[in-house]
Amino acid sequence: MKFSEQWLRDWVSPALSTQALADQITMAGLEVDAVEPVAAAFSEVVVAEVVGKEPHPDADKLNVCRVDDGSGEPVQVVCGAPNVAVGQKVPFARVGAVLPGDFTIKQAKLRGVESRGMICSASELGLEEEASAGILVLPASAPVGEGFRDFMGLDDHTIEVDLTPNRGDCLSLKGLAREVGVLNRLAVSGPELAPVAPTLDETFPIRVEDAERCPRYIGRLIKGVDVTAETPLWMVERLRRSGIRAIDPVVDVTNYVMLELGQPLHAFDRANLHGSVVVRLAREGEQLVLLDGQAITLEGSTLVIADERGPLAIAGVMGGEHSGVSPETRDIFLEAAFFSPLAVAGQARSYGLHTDASHRFERGVDPSLPREAAERATALLLAITGGEPGPLVEVASEAHLPDGRQATLRAARLEQALGKSLPRDEVTEILERLGLGVTVSEQDWTVQVPSWRFDIAIEEDLIEEVARIHGYNRLPVRRPQVRLALRAAHEAHTPLARLRRQMVARGYQEAVTYSFVAPELQQALHPEAVSPALANPISSDLSVMRASLFPGLVRALQHNLNRQQDRVRLFETGLVFRGELDHLHQTPMLGALVCGPREPEGWTGGRAPVDFFDLKGDLESLLALGEPQAWRFEPGEHPALHPGQCARVLHRGEEAGWIGTLHPAVRARLGLKVDALLFEVRLDALTQGRVPAFTPLSRHPEVRRDLAFLVEEGLPVQTLLDTIRAEAGEWLVESHLFDVYLGKGVPEGLKSVALGLTWQHPSRTLNDEEINQLVDAIVAESRQHLGAELRA
């Protein structure tokens, strides 16, 4: 938001320098980005009148002019501007004047004719960046001889404020003046906004079909306007100093009122309106050529202003070329409306647009402002272009207009937040100066929020308002005093940081990927997954919430492989999202992915690829940090994993994750040319452990027996181990697999599984008879339930 300091001081003028005013606005939370003079430095330029003009005797494009600069007698000047004419008031640089660029005016002869001074253009005075087509013509009321800087008020500054999105109420001179008035305890006096009495009974029909998106629409017919009239110089200058170029009186007035009051307006050429003005949603495929000449195809979710023949404008964004005001326009239909911020938000960006109107409507415009703005614009138009106004026509839906909001501020909470006790009268005064309706009780303030403050809804908003008006720099600077006790660490809990360190120690690097993934990638890895789709995604390939860590890890793998990194070790922790938005389950997970050679490249290592058991070993190293006996692996089927190299990970009998090799079909679909192995496990299960407990060491010797069983080739070894442990008795201290053999000497369809079993009694030596009884029981049970036989 750019504005002129002089314009602001017409509303409210505190006794502050320009820099002090900018600093005060910044400290109030409205950050000032820049303060710049509105014109470059120049001197000895005055208002003059052209009293004579004759062609130059030796140059076709030059004229010999006489100008009255107020010094007493006319001054002869040679001028090449095509638009110079007798009777004009112009800026005149006398001999000795210094113009921008340190250019000094001297007495000279041009083609033999003496010239004492220069009639200036806007660009020569630094008022326009591009070269002007002719001299700057001033209003006929400009006083001859007065300094040009004084007449134009050029000892002024443009202040640019960078507003946060919640302060749409300050996107106008009225809003900024209101803030400055509050900060300095000054009254704010804007222009008189008296209603304009209609001189015509004629109106134009209005129909609002979507009252939810457009709760208030106001229109007025003004007939007989002169669009070719000249916009007053004071208005042109105020627009220029606010970063807006003057176009024609109608457009200039709507822009001026938008800057002054904060209400965007639009004017239609009445001759191009048919039937009635209709506020509705666009119909799919409708075409509209905008004022900037861009032709667009409208989407069905776009709110438009239309007539009986088709769309005329995108509501709250930009008007159409066909219905816009042109030099031939004689009658206009003036529009002022309140559009819901949600109805306009994103509409401009979806068509690659960003306008002053959409910028304001997206942030919220005062719903009570349209009538006031329409009356102000009508008065200015009648003063500049003439014409006859009709009555204001309003279509409003009170049920859809924003409700009045209340918020309560507690005295104790205010003191706690600010670290300072403020007098109750001062707090009340601050709230009232902000325009809030205040009801004071013994312990709090109940506040009625005005319609222009969309950003105030809860107690914290009121605390912010009191703090910034009182002055952030006046709040105490002190360290909070708290008693901090060390938090008890539960020994049975494995911290996430320890899991991360373990993965790094195993050669992995941590990845941090988006929680959003491409729907096609998620469909390929989890075809049955249900997770929320984003209403406004960053991009099309980040449009659904991830139902697993697999998509992000696979995408990171693709990124690395595309950069010639053939050995990849990645892990990630984060939430996954499953279910519809109303019943969403958010589960913290730990996932990992490996690809490429087992060992880093080196003269001692081979190039054998990583396999399932390498990844399983890494996962088991994590399980060993907690309660390893609570975990089991069993064969399973997962759509993203290879059917023969896939296992379900169970924790205390419940599914806690998956591990396996990426499915060849999925790998081909994703364009991966190498195998990748992945696992994903619930973090809450990984972090559950057991409290370490000391077991006394036995002084008596261990007894070991090695048993080799012939079992069916498809029988999981875990099943055999479970059977053995159930029959081995309470003194079994270790059981492990040390060999699996298929081949010569083993019947087809069977495999030899060799297990090492170790017993130890805590208080005596076990004898052979006891061990033999246990071994016989193990063999009998394995034969009966698993069909296992001891290998000879």
Side-chain angles (χ1 to χ4, degrees):
M1 171 71 182
K2 292 176 67 175
F3 63 94
S4 158
E5 180 188 355
Q6 284 184 0
W7 192 3
L8 175 65
R9 289 185 182 275
D10 286 348
W11 286 74
V12 58
S13 185
L16 298 172
S17 66
T18 301
Q19 188 58 51
L21 177 62
D23 293 343
Q24 185 185 64
I25 293 173
T26 296
M27 287 304 297
L30 312 176
E31 183 180 355
V32 173
D33 273 355
V35 178
E36 298 176 348
V38 300
F42 58 82
S43 62
E44 286 299 309
V45 179
V46 298
V47 176
E49 181 179 0
V50 179
V51 296
K53 170 188 170 184
E54 297 176 357
H56 192 289
D58 294 326
D60 294 337
K61 294 184 179 182
L62 297 179
N63 293 295
V64 180
C65 301
R66 288 178 297 114
V67 299
D68 178 7
D69 66 350
S71 60
E73 64 179 73
V75 179
Q76 179 172 291
V77 180
V78 177
C79 179
N83 64 328
V84 65
V86 174
Q88 289 175 338
K89 299 288 182 67
V90 294
F92 175 67
R94 292 169 171 165
V95 173
V98 179
L99 300 187
D102 203 25
F103 176 67
T104 303
I105 302 298
K106 300 177 181 178
Q107 184 171 327
K109 284 189 176 182
L110 299 177
R111 296 285 184 93
V113 177
E114 187 178 69
S115 179
R116 292 185 290 134
M118 186 174 78
I119 301 175
C120 302
S121 67
S123 58
E124 288 166 337
L125 295 172
L127 302 181
E128 290 182 359
E129 292 184 3
E130 298 179 0
S132 303
I135 60 171
L136 176 62
V137 180
L138 305 178
S141 59
V144 172
E146 182 176 347
F148 180 71
R149 291 192 74 89
D150 295 334
F151 170 70
M152 293 289 288
L154 294 180
D155 293 324
D156 185 16
H157 293 85
T158 291
I159 301 176
E160 185 171 359
V161 178
D162 185 13
L163 296 171
T164 52
N166 65 323
R167 292 309 305 271
D169 62 297
C170 290
L171 286 167
S172 65
L173 263 294
K174 181 179 181 180
L176 288 166
R178 188 163 47 218
E179 288 289 305
V180 173
V182 171
L183 293 169
N184 294 281
R185 292 181 168 84
L186 295 175
V188 177
S189 57
E192 292 187 11
L193 301 175
V196 176
T199 58
L200 296 173
D201 293 332
E202 187 175 348
T203 62
F204 197 79
I206 298 171
R207 187 170 79 253
V208 176
E209 295 183 356
D210 195 330
E212 183 178 355
R213 290 179 171 84
C214 179
R216 173 167 285 148
Y217 190 94
I218 290 177
R220 165 175 268 162
L221 193 62
I222 305 177
K223 304 190 72 174
V225 298
D226 180 11
V227 180
T228 62
E230 187 174 350
T231 303
L233 184 61
W234 61 267
M235 183 178 289
V236 172
E237 268 299 290
R238 284 183 171 179
L239 291 173
R240 180 185 74 83
R241 297 176 196 188
S242 300
I244 296 179
R245 180 174 58 88
I247 298 175
D248 63 55
V250 176
V251 175
D252 295 345
V253 165
T254 57
N255 283 335
Y256 182 84
V257 173
M258 178 185 69
L259 291 172
E260 184 180 63
L261 302 180
Q263 171 68 51
L265 302 104
H266 187 66
F268 298 96
D269 187 336
R270 166 63 183 85
N272 294 323
L273 302 182
H274 303 278
S276 61
V277 167
V278 185
V279 184
R280 61 170 173 84
L281 289 178
R283 301 183 180 97
E284 287 289 347
E286 281 188 314
Q287 303 285 322
L288 178 64
V289 179
L290 299 173
L291 284 171
D292 61 1
Q294 177 183 352
I296 61 171
T297 300
L298 296 169
E299 299 174 358
S301 60
T302 302
L303 188 69
V304 297
I305 312 300
D307 63 7
E308 302 302 336
R309 294 190 177 182
L312 304 170
I314 301 178
V317 179
M318 186 181 288
E321 186 178 63
H322 170 69
S323 61
V325 174
S326 68
E328 291 75 35
T329 299
R330 293 296 173 264
D331 306 328
I332 64 171
F333 177 76
L334 182 65
E335 164 198 278
F338 170 69
F339 300 112
S340 166
L342 292 178
V344 180
Q347 293 292 340
R349 288 191 298 276
S350 68
Y351 295 106
L353 302 170
H354 180 79
T355 64
D356 290 328
S358 68
H359 188 76
R360 285 164 171 78
F361 278 123
E362 287 176 350
R363 285 152 177 78
V365 173
D366 183 356
S368 67
L369 196 57
R371 178 175 287 273
E372 181 182 331
E375 297 284 14
R376 173 64 168 160
T378 302
L380 290 171
L381 283 170
L382 296 180
I384 299 170
T385 66
E388 296 180 278
L392 281 179
V393 178
E394 178 176 357
V395 177
S397 172
E398 296 295 334
H400 294 97
L401 285 168
D403 295 330
R405 286 161 289 138
Q406 280 193 347
T408 300
L409 174 61
R410 295 167 294 166
R413 179 71 182 95
L414 178 66
E415 181 177 350
Q416 179 190 36
L418 301 186
K420 179 180 183 179
S421 179
L422 298 182
R424 294 179 62 81
D425 291 344
E426 180 182 350
V427 176
T428 304
E429 182 194 7
I430 289 173
L431 296 174
E432 289 177 343
R433 292 206 316 270
L434 285 166
L436 311 178
V438 183
T439 302
V440 184
S441 67
E442 189 173 333
Q443 297 296 331
D444 55 33
W445 295 265
T446 301
V447 170
Q448 188 70 33
V449 181
S451 57
W452 63 81
R453 290 302 298 267
F454 285 79
D455 61 315
I456 298 179
I458 58 177
E459 184 176 37
E460 283 69 20
D461 298 329
L462 296 174
I463 293 172
E464 179 188 6
E465 293 301 300
V466 172
R468 68 185 188 84
I469 301 302
H470 175 73
Y472 292 125
N473 55 343
R474 296 173 60 192
L475 296 177
V477 179
R478 65 189 185 199
R479 295 180 180 88
Q481 295 181 355
V482 292
R483 294 181 179 180
L484 300 177
L486 293 176
R487 187 178 295 176
H490 200 297
E491 290 184 81
H493 178 79
T494 303
L496 176 59
R498 188 177 180 192
L499 298 174
R500 285 177 169 145
R501 288 196 299 270
Q502 179 67 13
M503 292 299 289
V504 171
R506 304 285 291 192
Y508 287 77
Q509 292 180 310
E510 184 169 11
V512 180
T513 67
Y514 284 108
S515 296
F516 325 125
V517 296
E520 312 82 45
L521 181 57
Q522 182 143 293
Q523 176 68 18
L525 295 168
H526 300 276
E528 298 180 359
V530 177
S531 62
L534 302 184
N536 188 21
I538 300 172
S539 63
S540 59
D541 61 345
L542 295 171
S543 60
V544 297
M545 304 296 289
R546 64 187 179 193
S548 164
L549 298 179
F550 286 174
L553 291 170
V554 168
R555 186 170 180 177
L557 171 65
Q558 291 174 314
H559 183 85
N560 280 274
L561 292 176
N562 291 338
R563 286 152 182 80
Q564 291 78 50
Q565 301 299 313
D566 62 343
R567 187 174 187 272
V568 178
R569 300 284 188 280
L570 298 174
F571 80 95
E572 181 176 16
T573 60
L575 292 173
V576 301
F577 309 88
R578 293 169 182 151
E580 299 293 350
L581 195 58
D582 294 338
H583 302 88
L584 187 63
H585 297 282
Q586 303 181 54
T587 309
M589 306 289 284
L590 185 148
L593 178 147
V594 294
C595 175
R598 177 177 294 126
E599 301 290 340
E601 186 175 9
W603 66 274
T604 60
R607 299 291 290 172
V610 69
D611 62 22
F612 177 89
F613 295 102
D614 293 316
L615 183 64
K616 184 170 179 282
D618 293 334
L619 176 55
E620 287 179 329
S621 75
L622 292 179
L623 307 184
L625 298 176
E627 193 176 9
Q629 67 273 16
W631 295 88
R632 290 174 60 89
F633 296 85
E634 66 176 31
E637 292 186 3
H638 189 287
L641 303 177
H642 194 298
Q645 301 178 39
C646 169
R648 180 185 288 107
V649 184
L650 302 176
H651 179 257
R652 295 178 180 169
E654 295 184 1
E655 183 179 305
W658 289 87
I659 181 172
T661 304
L662 192 63
H663 198 293
V666 174
R667 195 187 71 189
R669 182 174 174 181
L670 299 179
L672 294 174
K673 298 181 180 179
V674 293
D675 279 331
L677 297 103
L678 311 95
F679 75 72
E680 181 180 44
V681 183
R682 286 199 339 257
L683 260 179
D684 62 337
L686 276 176
T687 55
Q688 290 183 32
R690 54 185 171 82
V691 177
F694 174 72
T695 301
L697 300 177
S698 176
R699 296 175 178 272
H700 302 279
E702 296 176 343
V703 178
R704 171 165 172 156
R705 294 288 189 269
D706 292 341
L707 303 178
F709 289 96
L710 291 174
V711 297
E712 291 182 3
E713 189 173 348
L715 180 73
V717 173
Q718 185 66 52
T719 304
L720 182 59
L721 284 170
D722 292 342
T723 302
I724 290 172
R725 287 168 182 159
E727 297 296 325
E730 60 179 314
W731 304 321
L732 182 71
V733 294
E734 184 180 0
S735 60
H736 66 275
L737 171 72
F738 65 84
D739 182 58
V740 177
Y741 173 72
L742 293 89
K744 187 176 180 181
V746 175
E748 186 175 351
L750 300 179
K751 62 182 176 182
S752 172
V753 177
L755 305 170
L757 307 178
T758 303
W759 288 269
Q760 186 178 34
H761 198 284
S763 59
R764 65 182 177 83
T765 301
L766 294 170
N767 56 50
D768 287 343
E769 183 179 349
E770 291 174 308
I771 298 302
N772 290 338
Q773 287 178 358
L774 293 173
V775 170
D776 290 343
I778 289 171
V779 172
E781 185 69 17
S782 301
R783 181 183 298 115
Q784 181 178 350
H785 289 93
L786 305 178
E789 295 288 346
L790 276 180
R791 184 181 175 192

